[in-house]
C-alpha cells in the first residue's frame, strides 16, 4: 500500500467519525486525533521530509487536501450541532409574543350601541349606497330644485349623475319604495359634505336615521321612541325637549335637545351654560315623501329622525376634536378598545 492510499484511508476514517460525532466535545477530540500536533494527518505531513521528491509532492498534496477537507467538515458539523443544541434549549414555558389585534373603531362602537337600542325597540336595520342619485338624496325627499343643500358648497358630486350622500335619509326613500307599511327601520351609515374641516366638522361623518310608517302614527309616538332612546343611550336622568325646525322631508319638523348629561342640566362649558345639547332632527314624514314612494298619505302617517353620531361620541368620551376619529392614530384609538 502506498502512502497516498494511507492518506485516503485516514480521510475515510476521519469522515466516518465526524459523521457519528454527537457533540462539540467529540468533534474537538476528532480534530486533535487527526489534525492536532500529534495527529495522524499531521504525522504524514511531518514525515514528508524523509520521502523522495516525487513521492513527497504527491503525498504532500494529498495530505494537505485532506487536512483542508477535514477542517471544513468539522466546522460545518459544529455549526449543525450548535443549531440543534439551540433548538433543544428552547424554553416552551416563556410567554409568547401576543399578536396585535384590531378592535372596533370608537365611532362604530357608539353606532352599534345606538342601533342595538333601536333594534330592541323593534327597528330593522336597512342600508343604502354611499354614492346616491340626485333623486334619492334630494328629490324623493321633497327638496325643491333650488334648495341650498343642492349647492356645490354643501354637496360633493360624483361624475355622471351621482352625489356622495349628504345624509342617510335617502335610504328611507329607498325602503319606502320597496316595502309596505308597517315599516319600522333605522338606516345607519357614512355621509359626506363639502365642509371646511375643523375641530367640530369634517367632510365625512356618520348618521343613524330612523322612521316608522303605519296607520295612525303620531308625534306622540315619535316623542316616546326618542325619550326611550335618549334614556337608554345617555342615562335615565336625561330630559329631552323639542324645538320647532324645518326639513323639506318632514312636516312638522323639530330639533331635539337632551339635558346636558355632563352637568345634569346645571350648565357647564360643554353645553355653553345652557344646560342643553342639540343631538338630532326629526318630524312627521311629509305627505309628499309618502306619496312619491307610492303610499296613500290619507291612510298612512309616519315619523322620522336623524342623529349625527360623532357629536354624541365626542360628548360621551370628552373628545375635543372630530378629526381624531379619522386620523387613525393608534395611540388615540387604542384608548377605546
Ligand atoms: N337628514 C337630516 C340632516 O342630515 C337629519 C334628519 C332630520 C333626518 C329629520 C330625518 C328627519 O330623518 O326626520 O340634517
Amino acid at each position: 500500500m502506498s502512502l497516498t492510499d494511507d492518506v485516503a484511508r485516514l480521510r475515510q476514517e476521519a469522515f466516518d467519525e465526524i459523521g457519528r460525532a454527537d457533540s462539540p466535545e467529540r468533534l474537538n477530540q476528532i480534530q486533535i486525533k487527526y489534525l492536532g500536533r500529534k495527529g495522524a494527518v499531521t504525522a504524514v505531513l511531518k514525515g514528508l521530509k524523509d520521502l523522495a521528491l516525487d513521492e513527497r509532492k504527491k503525498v504532500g498534496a494529498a495530505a494537505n487536501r485532506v487536512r483542508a477537507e477535514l477542517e471544513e467538515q468539522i466546522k460545518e458539523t459544529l455549526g449543525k450541532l450548535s443549531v440543534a443544541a439551540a433548538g433543544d434549549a428552547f424554553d416552551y414555558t416563556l410567554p409568547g409574543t401576543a399578536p396585535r389585534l384590531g378592535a372596533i373603531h370608537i365611532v362604530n362602537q357608539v353606532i352599534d350601541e345606538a342601533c342595538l337600542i333601536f333594534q330592541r325597540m323593534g327597528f330593522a336595520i336597512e342600508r343604502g349606497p354611499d354614492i346616491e342619485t340626485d333623486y334619492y338624496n334630494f328629490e324623493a325627499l321633497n327638496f325643491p330644485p333650488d334648495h341650498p343643500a343642492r349647492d356645490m358648497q354643501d354637496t360633493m358630486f360624483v361624475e355622471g349623475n351621482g352625489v356622495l350622500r349628504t345624509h342617510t335619509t335617502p335610504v328611507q326613500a329607498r325602503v319606502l319604495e320597496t316595502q309596505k307599511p308597517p315599516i319600522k327601520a333605522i338606516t345607519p351609515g357614512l355621509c359626506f359634505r363639502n365642509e371646511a374641516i375643523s375641530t367640530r366638522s369634517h367632510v365625512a361623518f356618520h348618521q343613524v336615521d330612523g322612521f316608522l310608517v303605519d296607520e295612525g302614527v303620531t308625534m306622540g309616538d315619535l316623542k316616546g321612541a326618542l325619550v326611550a332612546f335618549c334614556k337608554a343611550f345617555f342615562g335615565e336622568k336625561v330630559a329631552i325637549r323639542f324645538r320647532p325646525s324645518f326639513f323639506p322631508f318632514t312636516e312638522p319638523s323639530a330639533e331635539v335637545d337632551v339635558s346636558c348629561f355632563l352637568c345634569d342640566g346645571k350648565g357647564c362649558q360643554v353645553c355653553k351654560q345652557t344646560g342643553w345639547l342639540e343631538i338630532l332632527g326629526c318630524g312627521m314624514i311629509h305627505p309628499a315623501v309618502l306619496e312619491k314612494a307610492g303610499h296613500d298619505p290619507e291612510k298612512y302617517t309616519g315619523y322620522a329622525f336623524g342623529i349625527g353620531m360623532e357629536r354624541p361620541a365626542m360628548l360621551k368620551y370628552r373628545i375635543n376634536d372630530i378629526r381624531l376619529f379619522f386620523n387613525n392614530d393608534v395611540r388615540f384609538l387604542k384608548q377605546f378598545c
Side-chain angles (χ1 to χ4, degrees):
M1 262 223 273
S2 71
L3 264 172
T4 14
D5 289 338
D6 283 348
V7 173
R9 192 176 37 78
L10 274 180
R11 176 187 180 280
Q12 193 53 51
E13 269 176 33
F15 264 79
D16 289 348
E17 284 184 44
I18 293 169
R20 287 195 300 272
D22 55 4
S23 68
E25 293 72 29
R26 177 76 195 114
L27 278 177
N28 197 31
Q29 286 167 1
I30 299 168
Q31 163 119 17
I32 292 166
K33 180 171 169 189
Y34 292 94
L35 306 174
R37 242 176 342 115
K38 293 180 184 163
V41 178
T42 318
V44 174
L45 289 165
K46 275 185 179 165
L48 288 176
K49 61 180 188 323
D50 304 326
L51 299 177
L53 187 63
D54 244 17
E55 188 76 351
R56 197 191 299 169
K57 271 191 183 168
K58 260 201 302 185
V59 176
N64 273 320
R65 196 165 356 101
V66 168
R67 184 171 61 180
E69 278 183 307
L70 290 182
E71 275 171 354
E72 182 60 28
Q73 188 66 10
I74 286 170
K75 208 169 104 186
E76 197 184 308
T77 309
L78 190 63
K80 281 186 191 154
L81 285 175
S82 8
V83 169
D88 278 350
F90 185 79
D91 183 352
Y92 293 96
T93 64
L94 282 175
T97 318
R100 273 171 48 170
L101 292 181
I104 309 236
H105 191 284
I106 178 62
V107 173
N108 282 331
Q109 286 182 38
V110 174
I111 292 171
D112 288 349
E113 190 187 338
C115 288
L116 197 62
I117 294 169
F118 284 116
Q119 283 176 294
R120 286 196 198 111
M121 289 159 66
F123 287 82
I125 294 190
E126 299 283 354
R127 296 182 194 275
D130 292 355
I131 298 177
E132 263 301 359
T133 59
D134 177 273
Y135 180 78
Y136 288 112
N137 200 76
F138 297 122
E139 208 176 319
L141 296 172
N142 200 36
F143 280 80
D146 58 350
H147 192 280
R150 289 171 177 244
D151 196 310
M152 301 265 286
Q153 300 300 313
D154 291 330
T155 305
M156 290 194 265
F157 293 88
V158 179
E159 248 175 74
N161 183 23
V163 299
L164 292 184
R165 68 177 174 196
T166 57
H167 48 180
T168 53
T169 322
V171 188
Q172 176 186 318
R174 286 176 174 274
V175 173
L176 281 177
E177 260 184 9
T178 52
Q179 297 184 21
K180 282 202 169 69
I183 313 170
K184 194 175 182 185
I186 48 169
T187 63
L190 198 53
C191 311
F192 309 86
R193 279 184 209 173
N194 195 8
E195 301 259 6
I197 297 174
S198 69
T199 51
R200 293 170 62 93
S201 54
H202 211 289
V203 289
F205 55 96
H206 296 79
Q207 288 187 342
V208 173
D209 259 51
F211 66 101
L212 164 65
V213 177
D214 200 356
E215 291 179 39
V217 177
T218 68
M219 197 100 181
D221 297 319
L222 170 63
K223 190 171 178 195
L226 292 180
V227 168
F229 168 76
C230 289
K231 283 189 186 299
F233 190 80
F234 294 107
E236 266 307 307
K237 282 193 289 188
V238 100
I240 78 173
R241 72 175 184 189
F242 284 64
R243 272 181 296 102
S245 184
F246 174 81
F247 301 101
F249 37 88
T250 44
E251 180 58 38
S253 306
E255 276 173 325
V256 168
D257 302 333
V258 289
S259 57
C260 179
F261 54 88
L262 298 168
C263 64
D264 281 335
K266 289 186 199 76
C268 68
Q269 242 181 347
V270 176
C271 63
K272 303 211 178 73
Q273 311 305 330
T274 63
W276 296 96
L277 299 165
E278 185 208 317
I279 57 146
L280 60 89
C282 64
M284 297 305 290
I285 299 178
H286 198 290
V289 173
L290 292 172
E291 208 161 8
K292 271 186 213 281
H295 303 293
D296 177 2
E298 295 296 327
K299 184 169 178 201
Y300 295 112
T301 48
Y303 67 65
F305 54 84
I307 315 170
M309 293 313 299
E310 272 78 7
R311 201 167 131 77
M314 288 170 79
L315 292 168
K316 214 165 166 167
Y317 294 98
R318 301 294 204 116
I319 296 160
N320 59 10
D321 191 332
I322 196 171
R323 291 171 292 196
L324 288 165
F325 291 138
F326 295 96
N327 289 350
N328 285 334
D329 184 332
V330 175
R331 290 168 304 178
F332 168 75
L333 295 174
K334 76 177 174 198
Q335 296 174 69
F336 309 102
C337 288

